[in-house]
Amino acid sequence: MSQVAILIDGGYFIKRLPALRPGIDMSDPVAVCTTIKRMITAHLDRINKIERRSHARSLLYRSFYYDARPYLDRGHLPISRKAIDYAKSDVARFQLALHDMLRKTANMAVRLGEVRRDPASLWELKPSVLTALVKGEREFPSLEDADFRPTFRQKAVDMRIGLDIASLTLKRQVGTIVLIAGDSDFVPAAKLARREGVKFHLDPLWRSVEPGLFEHIDGLYSGLPRPRKREPEA
């Protein structure tokens, strides 16, 4: 029986989840972990239905969750210069707890990259604030700490996704790969998988994709229900 691997871009998933489940508590790792499990089951059920199989759970080879370790160093806020300990932040605590829960989930592998900050540019203005400044609706002396966001950059996450797609394909470990992601960085790996006979499905979590991507995938659908309200395109 051909098995299925489900690869989840964690950063993208967390960003999209509030739009797909407006009532979810994004500070609750249990709720988020439960949603991930349900999404995986929905994908397996769909593949099961398409291929007329039974016992969807037996199809799963492994799920992979890709994310970056939370930033745990100390720093200072941009305006007040107040000290901040990122290790004690709500974001860090949530990520650490979620990663730990996922590690304890059956048939789940957690692949973590790193988060780094450029010492030359630790903070950047939020887009809405920058727009207000350009339009003259705000003045620079009015800026506050809340108008900025830290310049965290994920490292090696996309690389891990590409390497696992190649490994799963070349080792003939699966017959189907489902990738939950929102960009086109996966295209070279998807081409390799399809050339080797692996079916490649994409779940963009109800975001539109570039028309050119359809020639590189075998299916496009989501494991979570469609949002009730139509969202503006990014």
Side-chain angles (χ1 to χ4, degrees):
M1 179 182 290
S2 178
Q3 291 188 299
V4 180
I6 297 179
L7 285 61
I8 305 168
D9 181 339
Y12 179 73
F13 173 81
I14 294 297
K15 183 179 179 180
R16 288 288 298 150
L17 188 53
L20 299 175
R21 292 195 60 196
I24 192 170
D25 182 357
M26 291 302 297
S27 65
D28 183 0
V30 175
V32 175
C33 186
T34 298
T35 302
I36 291 172
K37 294 176 183 178
R38 290 175 178 171
M39 179 177 64
I40 291 169
T41 299
H43 276 293
L44 294 175
D45 287 344
R46 184 180 179 91
I47 294 172
N48 223 6
K49 183 177 180 180
I50 292 173
E51 302 187 9
R52 297 180 181 179
R53 294 175 178 174
S54 60
H55 306 298
R57 291 183 182 276
S58 66
L59 285 171
L60 182 64
Y61 168 73
R62 187 168 295 137
S63 297
F64 298 81
Y65 187 87
Y66 302 87
D67 202 358
R69 295 179 179 84
Y71 190 76
L72 302 178
D73 288 345
R74 297 172 181 266
H76 294 84
L77 294 174
I79 300 298
S80 68
R81 305 305 298 166
K82 180 180 178 182
I84 180 172
D85 185 351
Y86 290 100
K88 296 180 180 179
S89 69
D90 292 339
V91 172
R93 289 172 176 170
F94 168 79
Q95 286 184 297
L96 291 171
L98 178 61
H99 295 164
D100 188 53
M101 289 181 185
L102 291 172
R103 289 189 188 97
K104 296 175 182 177
T105 299
N107 297 322
M108 174 73 74
V110 178
R111 300 277 200 264
L112 298 180
E114 301 293 335
V115 168
R116 298 178 184 175
R117 299 187 71 184
D118 182 358
S121 179
L122 297 178
W123 297 91
E124 63 184 8
L125 283 168
K126 294 178 180 178
S128 59
V129 177
L130 180 58
T131 299
L133 287 170
V134 172
K135 291 182 177 180
E137 299 170 352
R138 293 278 304 272
E139 296 183 354
F140 282 98
S142 71
L143 294 179
E144 302 174 346
D145 291 328
D147 295 323
F148 293 81
R149 62 185 182 186
T151 54
F152 296 137
R153 298 288 182 264
Q154 289 189 355
K155 300 292 183 180
V157 175
D158 290 343
M159 178 188 70
R160 283 173 167 79
I161 295 176
L163 287 174
D164 278 341
I165 292 174
S167 178
L168 291 166
T169 297
L170 297 177
K171 292 182 179 180
R172 309 293 180 185
Q173 292 171 316
V174 299
T176 302
I177 292 175
V178 179
L179 175 63
I180 298 161
D183 55 42
S184 58
D185 293 342
F186 67 86
V187 168
K191 287 182 177 180
L192 170 65
R194 297 179 79 227
R195 281 198 302 266
E196 296 295 324
V198 174
K199 295 179 181 179
F200 197 96
H201 298 173
L202 176 66
D203 177 358
L205 297 174
W206 296 108
R207 294 305 299 267
S208 60
V209 299
E210 298 176 7
L213 291 181
F214 284 93
E215 64 180 297
H216 306 301
I217 60 177
D218 297 295
L220 179 75
Y221 51 85
S222 177
L224 293 175
R226 181 190 291 271
R228 293 183 180 180
K229 295 182 179 180
R230 184 174 181 179
E231 299 177 87
E233 295 296 324

